[in-house]
Amino acid sequence: QVQLQESGPGLVKPSETLSLTCTVSDGSINNQYWSWIRQSPGKGLEWIGYVYDSGTTNYNPSLKSRVTMSEDTSKNQFSLKLSSVTAADTAVYYCARYRRGTGWYYFDYWGQGSPVTVST
Amino acid sequence: DIQMTQSPSSVSASVGDRVTITCRASQDISGWLAWYQQKPGKAPKVLIYATSSLQSGVPSRFSGSGSGTDFTLTISSLQPEDFATYYCQQAQSFPLTFGGGTKVEIK
């Protein structure tokens, strides 16, 4: 079955850019919706956005001005960049597959989560 | 954005109890609701999608119901492995949003 694994720095300085990568195993990333979701004690689970088919993206308006998502099909990976981070961006970041089709819309596969702290 | 409100925020129950968790949407979500279970230090795991469809491999003691703005997740006979936090999530419109969670604790 599909497996997802996040990777990236666990500590980011304020005002810098948070960068995470999700590697997908046992399945192709082609023609699937790949999402990032974060979880912090203060805001619970928050959907950040998705990337589809290498170029189509949909971001949460609350983060849209700072988010960029992309895919690298040659590596079966997708990535998240969140710019100008503050302490409010401290959270566990999950990558997940958004299953989207007739009769179903939900996150069926998740990574284990990547904790990110924003601090000097 | 569609706001998702869960109640209760926590519930204490015993093994074998029937547990019901409620999720209310701020507007009609046409049945596009999923439920997830999350254990400490782990990612959420989908239990139910489209209000009442059981995800493959999920025990039949979990069931979902509802329509419009009001939905429920029922655990018919609570098992030791069911002590966890449960979240609802709407898929009617973007941005996708989650409820605040319901923690099921051991009585």
Side-chain angles (χ1 to χ4, degrees), chain A residues 35 37 39 44-47 50 58-61 94 98-108 110-113, chain B residues 1 32-34 36 38 41-46 48-50 53 55 87 89-91 94-100:
Chain A
S35 265
I37 297 156
Q39 185 172 32
L45 287 162
E46 182 178 28
W47 174 74
Y50 71 63
N58 187 344
Y59 302 143
N60 191 322
Y94 293 100
Y98 185 52
R99 191 174 187 202
R100 191 178 183 189
T102 303
W104 51 73
Y105 302 89
Y106 61 97
F107 299 101
D108 60 349
W110 297 65
Q112 64 184 26
Chain B
D1 299 6
W32 297 120
L33 185 99
Y36 300 84
Q38 186 178 33
K42 301 293 188 182
K45 167 192 168 185
V46 64
I48 302 279
Y49 62 91
S53 296
Q55 174 71 345
Y87 296 92
Q89 174 246 319
Q90 66 82 17
F94 294 99
L96 306 176
T97 49
F98 293 82

Side-chain angles (χ1 to χ4, degrees), chain A residues 3-6 22-23 93-97 109-114, chain B residues 42-44:
Chain A
Q3 297 184 65
L4 290 77
Q5 177 69 59
E6 304 91 349
C22 184
T23 302
Y93 286 75
Y94 293 100
C95 58
R97 188 176 80 170
Y109 292 105
W110 297 65
Q112 64 184 26
S114 181
Chain B
K42 301 293 188 182

Side-chain angles (χ1 to χ4, degrees), chain A residues 39 45 92 94 110-113, chain B residues 35-47 57-59 61-62 75 78-87 101-106:
Chain A
Q39 185 172 32
L45 287 162
V92 176
Y94 293 100
W110 297 65
Q112 64 184 26
Chain B
W35 289 97
Y36 300 84
Q37 176 194 67
Q38 186 178 33
K39 296 182 178 179
K42 301 293 188 182
K45 167 192 168 185
V46 64
L47 302 173
V58 173
R61 62 181 179 272
F62 292 94
I75 310 172
L78 198 65
Q79 299 301 300
E81 60 268 30
D82 301 336
F83 292 95
T85 301
Y86 294 84
Y87 296 92
T102 295
K103 188 174 184 179
V104 177
E105 300 174 298
I106 302 172

Side-chain angles (χ1 to χ4, degrees), chain A:
Chain A
Q1 66 175 26
V2 175
Q3 297 184 65
L4 290 77
Q5 177 69 59
E6 304 91 349
S7 58
L11 181 64
V12 182
K13 290 182 168 56
S15 79
E16 295 189 344
T17 296
L18 178 160
S19 295
L20 294 171
T21 297
C22 184
T23 302
V24 180
S25 305
D26 298 324
S28 170
I29 70 168
N30 293 324
N31 300 315
Q32 304 285 339
Y33 292 83
W34 301 102
S35 265
W36 290 94
I37 297 156
R38 67 183 184 180
Q39 185 172 32
S40 61
K43 295 194 73 175
L45 287 162
E46 182 178 28
W47 174 74
I48 300 170
Y50 71 63
V51 58
Y52 169 75
D53 202 21
S54 294
T56 300
T57 55
N58 187 344
Y59 302 143
N60 191 322
S62 68
L63 298 166
K64 187 174 183 177
S65 64
R66 300 193 290 130
V67 171
T68 303
M69 294 183 186
S70 60
E71 289 183 349
D72 185 338
T73 54
S74 67
K75 296 181 180 179
N76 228 37
Q77 295 175 334
F78 62 102
S79 65
L80 166 71
K81 292 188 186 299
L82 181 66
S83 64
S84 305
V85 297
T86 70
D89 296 308
T90 294
V92 176
Y93 286 75
Y94 293 100
C95 58
R97 188 176 80 170
Y98 185 52
R99 191 174 187 202
R100 191 178 183 189
T102 303
W104 51 73
Y105 302 89
Y106 61 97
F107 299 101
D108 60 349
Y109 292 105
W110 297 65
Q112 64 184 26
S114 181
V116 177
T117 300
V118 178
S119 175
T120 56

